[in-house]
């Protein structure tokens, strides 16, 4: 026989090849997909032994804290827009002050757990001995300062912490219900509810912990300092009674529900009540009369999965139960949108075992118990044994745990977090994947209706990169994750929805989804800012899949819908400009407009609408600063006898002077651009959209937007009004020698006189614009008026309906201002507009000053290397790293806490030798 292949038919030969290929592919899949990351076994042991072992945490403010590989330090990183690269990345530097403290006070013990408070300003740091430190964010997100070291008990195993919870503060939390398109307009459906208690009556930070020795402790910041309250949860008679896991959740009547699990696999539930006692006199914190009351609810004698799953072998069930050990314990409170629901105890049982192939087999089981109140039933036979006839319906209700079917996952769960106000849950696995499930533990479905939009997870977004990891954290809005393995190197990935350029119908729904999540974030606004940098980063990456025109359309539609949900146009028409300035949501919306216009081109980092938004933010900052500095407590403008002015402080006077200089430059810049447009078109040329775009696109077009848009016009008018209030200050005694403030007042006087064209000429232009636009808006409906305003502010385009009014403004009041300027108009050609310019050409032609940076808040130049600086995470702007003094006014400190664009600061790494 010449060939062995003749022994087999072709069909049999193909079947053998197919079977062999299947076996090879199966082995390859097993060796790649199921290969655990290094250190997974150690991480699983850590999760089994202690329920308080979170090594990475993402704050609501945007700071990512993580414990280093040696477990002796905590570092901070943040999402950051890299202006020099035109893309989002991560900050790397952590201020050195915290490292110096930990090396001095935390010798011999490893950090085991970190967690942020609900506002993201305080970080709880727990070590292996049970010692607790509270670190606060000081000015910049990457600067931590230890505010207090708590827990004075002996450092031993019984005092190790197995569960912790920050108490929430009284605030409103929003819940997204989706968006629906009705007659071509998206309607966003969100609801609000009050955060559940208990709350500290001091409205300061407070948290509770549970130790391995079954003690519960409450720490709260009172009138002056921290206080501690302690109670015993259960007695400890042997090592089997020591606790391994504990978790809290808010219960009805603003109490706490506590679940604890011990080494003998017993699960117990308690009701914790806090009786707050306020001091009778202000500052009296000598007597701490706050008490903790602990009430046992129910017990589950054996806490383990039931394994009543179809793919389990009943013969080996007992062995499988012994192998599966508790790694996570979570209490799921009442959901905000379902009053009939009951609390649920969620236990994650995990196992990792070696296979014959050498590859480890991993799995996790999700076991749940519902906590219900039921009335006990008595057998009728017992009723005859007593003369007291007590019907069973009058017996007191008892708490019982009802088992729900388990869910098996053939992966190892390393991360669990509630998102969307507790209505959904994120399950992170060691392979780097994250699943989003609802309260019933079903995988979150994808919204497929064209007229409906939901959260990004409900739109089919998935994380762009999967890398095996041991530790994981989600951003405040759940759209960016950070992970690291045995080597503590943080890596980030973002939610993404891969689409082709032809899938333009997806763009509208996804834009509505981003608006929905931003609206929920805005409605959930609490103390301080509520950053959305994670949403901005996700939106930016999603937009990179489209061409520039489609990206621009997405940005415009996003901002139009966001402004519409805030109903801010009604407030813009309010003649009381003070209310407009203090309308905080508008400031945050302008911050979003500035950020979404970031571009990847090396010569142009920001779009026109971004620059307009940043200019508005600067105007708002200066207007507020002037109102605080030169308006006395009586509320009237400064007069000759005023002495209670904040500007009569050296630091305030220096701060105001540079801002006034920037404002004076902006006034000259706007008038210069208007004069140039007047020269281009003359006094009689008929304006046309195409001609306007051709002749006045750059750099003059942005200034036309500033005077035509109602919001920008009101901001400029208010700032000019503040400038008018400054000259009377020079007659005050503090401004006249030999007053020590006289030299600083002289600098301010010189700055005011540096204006080439009087600000009153710009005010006249604004007044004429008001009159012309009132005539135009009188012919439009309310909806049409809002469309015009949105076209100006969100799109940066001048609608044709405004061209006749613009023609009258240019040929009338602007021409008159030019005539009055006379020779002064020529002086404008020699001024440096780099600090205020809105044009692209000026960016390209601006001389490079590598040795200088511009302080965006104080509006002053700084010399690089001479001062330490902060950088904004959102726009890349800089500011000198000034530490507030005790004499500094609170309003000035608040102005410097964030960048003028609304972004948060990080401290830049100091130069060598600085």
């Amino acid at each position: 026989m010449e060939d062995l292949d003749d022994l087999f038919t072709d069909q049999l030969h193909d079947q053998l090849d197919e079977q062999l290929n299947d076996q090879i592919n199966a082995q390859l899949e097993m060796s790649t997909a199921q290969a655990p990351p290094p250190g997974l076994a150690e991480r699983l042991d850590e999760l089994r032994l202690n329920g308080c072992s979170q090594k990475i945490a993402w704050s609501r403010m945007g700071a990512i804290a993580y414990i280093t590989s040696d477990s002796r330090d905590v570092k901070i990183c943040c999402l950051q827009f890299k202006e020099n690269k035109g893309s989002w990345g991560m900050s790397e530097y952590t201020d050195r002050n915290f490292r110096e403290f930990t090396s001095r006070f935390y010798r011999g013990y490893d950090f085991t757990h970190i967690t942020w408070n609900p506002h993201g300003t305080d970080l709880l740091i727990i070590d292996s001995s049970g010692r607790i430190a509270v670190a606060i964010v000081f000015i910049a997100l990457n600067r931590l300062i230890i505010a207090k070291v708590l827990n004075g008990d002996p450092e031993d195993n019984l005092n190790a912490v197995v569960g912790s919870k920050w108490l929430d503060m009284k605030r409103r939390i929003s819940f997204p219900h989706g968006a629906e398109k009705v007659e071509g307009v998206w309607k966003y459906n969100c609801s609000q509810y009050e955060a559940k208690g208990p709350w500290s009556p001091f409205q300061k930070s407070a948290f509770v912990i549970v130790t391995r020795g079954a003690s519960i402790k409450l720490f709260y910041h009172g009138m002056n300092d921290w206080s501690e309250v302690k109670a015993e949860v259960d007695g400890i008679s042997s090592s089997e009674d020591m606790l391994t896991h504990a978790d809290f959740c808010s219960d009805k009547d603003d109490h706490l529900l506590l679940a604890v699990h011990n080494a003998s696999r017993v699960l117990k539930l308690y009701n914790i009540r806090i009786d707050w006692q306020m001091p009778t006199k202000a500052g009296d914190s000598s007597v701490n009369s706050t008490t903790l009351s602990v009430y046992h609810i129910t017990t589950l004698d054996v806490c383990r999965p039931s394994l009543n799953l179809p793919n389990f072998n009943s013969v080996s069930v007992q062995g499988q139960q012994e192998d599966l050990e508790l790694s996570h314990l979570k209490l799921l409170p009442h959901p905000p949108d379902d009053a009939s629901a009951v609390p649920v105890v969620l236990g994650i049982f995990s196992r990792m075992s070696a296979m014959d192939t050498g590859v480890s087999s991993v799995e996790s089981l999700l076991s749940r118990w519902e906590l219900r109140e039921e009335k006990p039933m008595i057998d009728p036979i017992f009723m005859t044994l007593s003369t007291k006839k007590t019907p069973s319906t009058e017996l007191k209700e008892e708490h019982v745990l009802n088992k729900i079917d388990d869910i098996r996952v053939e992966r190892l769960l390393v991360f669990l977090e509630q998102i969307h106000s507790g209505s959904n849950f994120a399950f992170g696995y060691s392979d780097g994947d994250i699943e989003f499930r609802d309260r019933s533990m079903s995988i979150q479905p994808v919204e497929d209706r064209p007229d409906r939009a939901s959260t990004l997870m409900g739109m089919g977004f998935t994380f762009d990169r999967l890398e095996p990891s041991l530790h994981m954290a989600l951003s405040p809005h759940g759209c960016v994750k950070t992970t690291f393995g045995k080597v503590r190197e943080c890596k980030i990935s973002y939610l993404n929805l891969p689409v082709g350029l032809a899938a333009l119908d997806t763009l509208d729904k996804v834009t509505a989804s981003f608006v929905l999540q931003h609206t929920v974030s805005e409605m959930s606004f609490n103390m301080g800012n509520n950053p959305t940098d994670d949403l901005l980063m996700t939106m930016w990456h999603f937009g990179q899949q489209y061409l520039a025109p489609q990206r621009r359309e997405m940005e415009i539609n996003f901002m139009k819908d966001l402004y519409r949900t805030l109903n801010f146009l009604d407030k813009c028409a309010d003649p009381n400009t003070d209310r407009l300035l203090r309308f905080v949501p508008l400031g945050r919306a302008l911050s979003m407009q500035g950020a979404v216009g970031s571009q990847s081109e090396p010569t142009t980092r920001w779009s026109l609408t971004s620059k307009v938004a940043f200019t508005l933010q600067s105007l708002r900052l200066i207007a507020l600063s002037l109102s605080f500095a030169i308006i006395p407590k009586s509320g009237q403008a400064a007069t000759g006898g005023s002495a209670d002015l904040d500007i009569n402080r050296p630091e305030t006077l220096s701060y105001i002077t540079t801002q006034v200089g920037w404002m004076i430059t902006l006034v000259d810049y706007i008038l210069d651009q208007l004069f140039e447009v007047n020269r281009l078109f003359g006094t009689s040329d008929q304006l046309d959209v195409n001609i306007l775009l051709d002749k006045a696109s750059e750099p003059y077009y942005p200034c036309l937007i500033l005077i035509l848009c109602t919001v920008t016009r009101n901001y400029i008018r208010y700032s000019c009004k503040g400038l008018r209030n400054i000259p009377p200050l020079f007659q005050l005694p503090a401004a006249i020698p030999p007053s020590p403030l006289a030299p600083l007042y002289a600098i301010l006087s010189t700055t005011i006189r540096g204006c080439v064209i009087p600000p009153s000429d710009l005010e006249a232009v604004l007044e004429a614009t008001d009159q012309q636009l009132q005539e135009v808006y009188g012919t439009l409906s309310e909806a049409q008026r809002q469309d015009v305003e949105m076209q100006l502010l969100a799109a940066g385009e001048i609608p044709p309906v405004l061209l006749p009014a613009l023609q009258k403004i240019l040929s009338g009041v602007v021409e008159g201002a030019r005539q009055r300027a006379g020779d002064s108009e020529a002086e404008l050609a020699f001024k440096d507009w780099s600090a205020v310019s809105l044009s692209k050409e000026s960016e390209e032609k601006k001389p490079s000053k590598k040795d200088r940076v511009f302080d965006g808040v104080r509006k002053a130049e700084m010399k690089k290397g001479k001062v330490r600086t902060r950088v904004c995470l959102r726009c890349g702007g800089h500011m000198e790293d000034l530490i507030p003094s005790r004499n500094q006014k609170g309003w000035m400190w608040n102005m410097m806490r964030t960048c003028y664009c609304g972004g948060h600061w990080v401290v830049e790494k100091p130069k060598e030798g600085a």
Side-chain angles (χ1 to χ4, degrees):
M1 192 171 296
E2 297 180 357
D3 197 338
L4 291 176
D5 287 343
D6 294 338
L7 291 173
F8 306 97
T9 63
D10 291 341
Q11 182 178 3
L12 181 58
H13 195 278
D14 292 341
Q15 289 178 352
L16 291 173
D17 285 345
E18 185 176 350
Q19 292 177 3
L20 181 60
N21 288 333
D22 289 342
Q23 292 178 358
I24 294 175
N25 290 334
Q27 290 289 339
L28 289 175
E29 291 178 0
M30 184 178 299
S31 62
T32 56
Q34 297 185 2
L40 182 59
E42 292 85 350
R43 176 58 180 161
L44 181 56
D45 287 341
E46 189 177 35
L47 292 171
R48 289 170 173 172
L49 294 174
N50 193 333
C52 237
S53 58
Q54 179 174 271
K55 301 298 188 296
I56 184 169
W58 203 320
S59 79
R60 191 176 185 83
M61 301 291 284
I64 308 169
Y66 65 95
I67 299 175
T68 55
S69 299
D70 60 1
S71 300
R72 299 297 174 88
D73 194 15
V74 176
K75 289 189 175 182
I76 300 289
C77 56
C78 307
L79 297 182
Q80 181 179 15
F81 182 75
K82 308 282 188 176
E83 192 182 13
N84 58 339
K85 298 180 181 178
S87 61
W88 284 86
M90 297 223 9
S91 66
E92 299 176 354
Y93 173 69
T94 304
D95 190 73
R96 57 193 174 196
N97 295 337
F98 184 73
R99 179 70 179 186
E100 293 173 359
F101 181 90
T102 55
S103 62
R104 220 169 41 239
F105 291 97
Y106 278 86
R107 295 178 181 176
Y109 295 98
D110 294 340
F111 293 154
T112 58
H113 183 79
I114 53 175
T115 179
W116 292 97
N117 70 336
H119 292 322
T121 55
D122 297 356
L123 180 68
L124 197 64
I125 306 171
I126 302 173
D127 72 1
S128 55
S129 70
R131 185 163 40 184
I132 301 169
V134 178
I136 61 173
V137 173
F138 185 65
I139 305 176
L141 292 186
N142 61 341
R143 177 189 284 139
L144 287 176
I145 294 179
I146 299 293
K148 191 72 174 177
V149 177
L150 304 169
N151 200 2
D153 291 339
E155 300 166 354
D156 59 29
N157 188 41
L158 288 179
N159 289 318
V161 180
V162 297
S164 67
K165 175 182 171 58
W166 283 98
L167 299 189
D168 211 334
M169 295 186 183
K170 283 191 175 182
R171 60 189 178 107
R172 296 190 66 81
I173 299 176
S174 296
F175 179 78
H177 295 286
E180 186 173 4
K181 201 169 190 178
V182 180
E183 297 180 353
V185 179
W186 285 101
K187 305 292 185 182
Y188 300 94
N189 186 14
C190 306
S191 60
Q192 285 187 310
Y193 67 96
E194 293 287 343
K196 294 182 178 180
W199 312 282
S200 169
F202 301 97
Q203 286 300 300
K204 296 181 180 180
S205 294
F207 61 91
V208 287
I209 64 167
V210 175
T211 66
R212 193 177 300 278
S215 296
I216 180 173
K217 300 176 184 179
L218 166 68
F219 297 93
Y220 64 94
H221 198 296
M223 300 289 289
N224 301 315
D225 202 355
W226 286 84
S227 298
E228 175 184 350
V229 183
K230 183 178 179 181
E232 297 300 323
V233 176
D234 202 355
I236 297 294
S237 58
S238 67
S239 60
E240 294 296 314
D241 296 329
M242 294 198 311
L243 304 185
T244 61
H245 298 77
D247 192 41
F248 296 90
C249 78
S250 296
D251 199 8
K252 58 185 180 181
D253 299 326
D254 295 332
H255 296 160
L256 282 175
L257 191 63
L258 168 65
V260 298
H261 176 273
N262 63 23
S264 59
R265 296 188 176 184
V266 176
L267 177 69
K268 295 183 180 181
L269 272 72
Y270 298 88
N271 182 272
I272 310 297
R273 302 179 185 180
I274 305 175
D275 182 17
W276 301 98
Q277 297 292 333
M278 297 289 289
T280 56
K281 295 185 295 184
D284 182 13
S285 58
S286 58
V287 179
N288 179 16
S289 54
T290 299
T291 59
L292 281 174
S293 301
V294 181
Y295 301 92
H296 177 259
I297 293 178
T298 188
T299 297
L300 184 64
D301 294 329
V302 180
C303 178
R304 61 177 51 173
S306 58
L307 302 182
N308 53 347
L309 299 172
N311 54 348
F312 268 73
N313 185 352
S314 59
V315 177
S316 58
V317 164
Q318 184 63 34
Q320 291 167 344
Q321 283 184 323
E322 294 299 329
D323 292 342
L324 287 163
E325 294 189 34
L326 184 72
S327 59
H328 296 79
L329 180 64
K330 195 73 175 177
L331 272 175
L332 312 183
H334 303 270
D337 58 337
D338 187 1
S340 62
V342 297
V344 174
V345 181
L346 173 63
I348 308 298
F349 296 85
S350 303
R351 175 175 59 186
M352 181 177 179
S353 57
M355 301 176 61
D356 295 337
T357 58
V359 179
S360 298
S361 171
V362 295
E363 63 180 341
S364 295
L365 262 74
L366 282 60
S367 296
R368 294 164 293 160
W369 294 266
E370 288 184 336
L371 179 63
R372 294 189 174 275
E373 294 183 4
E374 296 181 358
K375 294 180 179 179
M377 299 299 296
I378 300 179
D379 193 292
I381 189 67
F382 292 101
M383 300 296 294
T384 62
L385 302 178
S386 174
T387 59
K388 184 177 180 181
K389 306 299 183 181
T390 304
S392 60
T393 55
E394 295 181 5
L395 294 177
K396 186 177 180 181
E397 291 183 339
E398 294 180 351
H399 289 83
V400 295
L401 290 171
N402 292 338
K403 189 73 174 69
I404 310 175
D405 288 342
D406 296 336
I407 298 175
R408 184 191 184 199
V409 182
E410 294 185 352
R411 292 184 289 181
L412 194 67
L413 189 141
V414 296
F415 168 77
L416 169 62
E417 185 170 306
Q418 299 184 59
I419 58 176
H420 299 153
S421 305
S423 60
N424 295 93
F425 303 89
F427 291 85
Y429 300 98
S430 59
D431 59 4
D433 190 19
I434 286 186
E435 283 183 344
F436 297 100
R437 297 174 179 263
D438 58 21
R439 192 175 176 84
S440 66
M441 296 299 139
S442 301
I443 301 294
Q444 186 170 357
V446 176
E447 181 60 67
D448 54 0
R449 285 177 51 184
D451 60 342
R452 289 278 303 173
S454 63
T455 60
L456 296 179
M457 303 79 170
M459 298 291 292
F461 276 67
T462 56
F463 284 101
D464 66 315
R465 185 173 58 189
L466 300 180
E467 292 189 6
S469 58
L470 304 179
H471 308 272
M472 193 177 300
L474 276 182
S475 65
H477 300 91
C479 56
V480 183
K481 71 172 180 179
T482 178
T483 60
F484 59 76
K486 193 171 184 178
V487 178
R488 303 287 170 87
E489 180 183 355
C490 284
K491 299 179 180 179
I492 59 171
S493 59
Y494 50 88
L495 285 176
N496 195 23
L497 182 66
V499 294
L501 294 179
L504 297 180
D505 56 336
T506 309
L507 195 60
D508 189 37
K509 283 186 60 175
V510 172
T511 303
S513 179
F514 278 112
V515 175
L516 175 67
Q517 297 217 190
H518 277 88
T519 302
V520 170
S521 177
E522 179 59 41
M523 293 174 66
S524 299
F525 175 73
N526 51 63
M527 295 172 59
N529 267 352
N530 193 13
T532 53
D533 289 351
D534 54 339
L535 287 172
L536 283 171
M537 176 183 178
T538 305
M539 185 176 174
W540 186 89
H541 279 289
F542 176 79
Q544 296 304 306
Q545 301 176 104
Y546 290 91
L547 298 175
Q550 284 78 42
R551 288 201 304 270
R552 183 63 185 148
E553 178 187 0
M554 179 183 180
E555 294 168 8
I556 293 174
N557 291 336
F558 171 80
M559 288 311 307
K560 284 184 176 180
D561 273 16
L562 189 59
Y563 282 129
R564 184 163 50 83
T565 59
L566 297 177
N567 297 319
F568 91 102
L569 286 175
D570 298 334
K571 297 177 176 61
C572 296
D574 192 337
N576 189 338
T577 314
D578 289 344
R579 271 200 289 266
L580 177 63
L581 278 175
R582 287 167 172 78
F583 182 48
V584 179
L586 177 57
R588 291 198 294 274
L590 288 171
S591 178
M592 292 300 304
Q593 178 170 319
V596 298
S598 58
Q599 301 179 16
S600 303
E601 290 78 1
T603 58
T604 307
R605 284 287 176 251
W606 309 102
S607 65
L608 165 63
T609 51
S610 289
K611 293 177 180 179
V612 169
F614 289 150
T615 301
L616 278 175
Q617 290 287 71
S618 293
L619 286 170
R620 182 173 182 270
L621 172 73
I622 294 173
L624 288 172
S625 297
L626 289 174
S627 67
F628 285 123
I630 65 179
I631 301 298
K633 297 176 183 179
S634 60
Q636 303 296 323
T639 60
S642 297
D644 57 344
L645 300 176
D646 284 349
I647 199 170
N648 288 331
R649 296 170 176 269
E651 63 275 8
T652 306
L653 194 51
S654 299
Y655 172 79
I656 290 296
T657 299
T658 51
Q659 290 188 340
V660 167
W662 184 91
M663 183 63 202
I664 291 293
T665 305
L666 180 67
V667 169
D668 282 341
Y669 172 72
I670 294 175
L671 288 171
D672 177 63
Q673 306 308 302
L674 293 178
F675 290 170
E676 184 63 28
V677 177
N678 178 261
R679 284 194 293 268
L680 288 173
F681 291 97
T683 59
S684 59
D685 294 349
Q686 186 68 30
L687 286 182
D688 178 80
V689 174
N690 295 326
I691 297 176
L692 184 65
L693 289 174
D694 182 50
K695 284 188 176 183
S697 57
E698 289 286 353
Y700 321 113
Y701 196 83
C703 288
L704 299 178
I705 300 292
L706 289 179
I707 67 168
L708 290 175
C709 181
T710 301
V711 180
T712 58
R713 195 167 61 252
N714 286 339
Y715 271 37
I716 296 172
R717 179 187 291 110
Y718 194 93
S719 299
C720 289
K721 176 185 174 182
L723 294 179
R724 289 203 311 268
N725 291 329
I726 291 180
L729 298 175
F730 303 138
Q731 307 302 320
L732 298 178
I736 301 174
S739 170
L741 293 177
L744 295 178
Y745 268 109
I747 297 174
L748 177 59
S749 177
T750 303
T751 302
I752 287 286
R753 293 196 304 270
C755 191
V756 178
I757 309 295
S760 58
D761 283 359
L762 181 57
E763 290 185 88
V765 172
L766 301 179
E767 186 65 28
T769 304
D770 277 339
Q771 296 173 3
Q772 293 295 330
L773 292 188
Q774 284 177 6
E775 295 179 7
V776 175
Y777 289 155
T779 64
L780 304 178
S781 65
E782 182 62 22
Q784 290 173 327
R785 184 185 74 85
Q786 293 191 7
D787 287 341
V788 169
E789 291 288 346
M790 283 295 93
Q791 199 71 8
L792 289 166
L793 181 60
E797 300 172 356
I798 300 177
V801 70
L802 297 184
L803 293 181
L806 180 59
Q807 175 69 54
K808 294 179 181 179
I809 296 168
L810 293 173
S811 61
V813 66
V814 174
E815 175 65 20
R818 276 192 66 198
Q819 296 300 326
R820 288 191 301 274
D823 296 337
S824 298
E825 183 180 356
E827 298 180 26
L828 296 173
F830 299 97
K831 293 204 69 170
D832 179 13
W833 308 123
S834 58
V836 298
S837 178
L838 300 170
S839 68
K840 180 175 70 175
E841 280 77 4
S842 63
E843 276 188 15
E844 297 170 350
K845 298 177 182 179
K846 184 171 57 177
S848 175
K849 297 182 179 180
K850 295 183 179 180
D851 62 330
R852 293 183 179 274
V853 292
F854 189 73
D855 188 321
V857 175
R858 296 188 303 152
K859 305 301 179 187
E861 283 193 343
M862 303 177 295
K863 211 167 186 181
K864 277 188 177 179
K866 299 298 183 181
V867 295
R868 197 172 183 191
T869 57
R870 312 172 200 152
V871 62
C872 175
L873 295 171
R874 182 167 289 188
C875 74
H878 291 79
M879 180 186 173
E880 184 178 351
D881 186 28
L882 298 173
I883 304 300
S885 63
R886 292 185 177 181
N887 296 327
Q888 190 170 351
K889 284 293 184 178
W891 64 265
M892 191 189 305
W893 158 237
N894 287 331
M895 296 291 182
M896 298 181 183
R897 289 181 64 183
T898 60
C899 177
Y900 72 97
C901 80
H904 283 279
W905 301 113
V906 288
V907 181
E908 287 194 297
K909 186 176 182 179
K911 303 294 183 181
E912 293 294 335

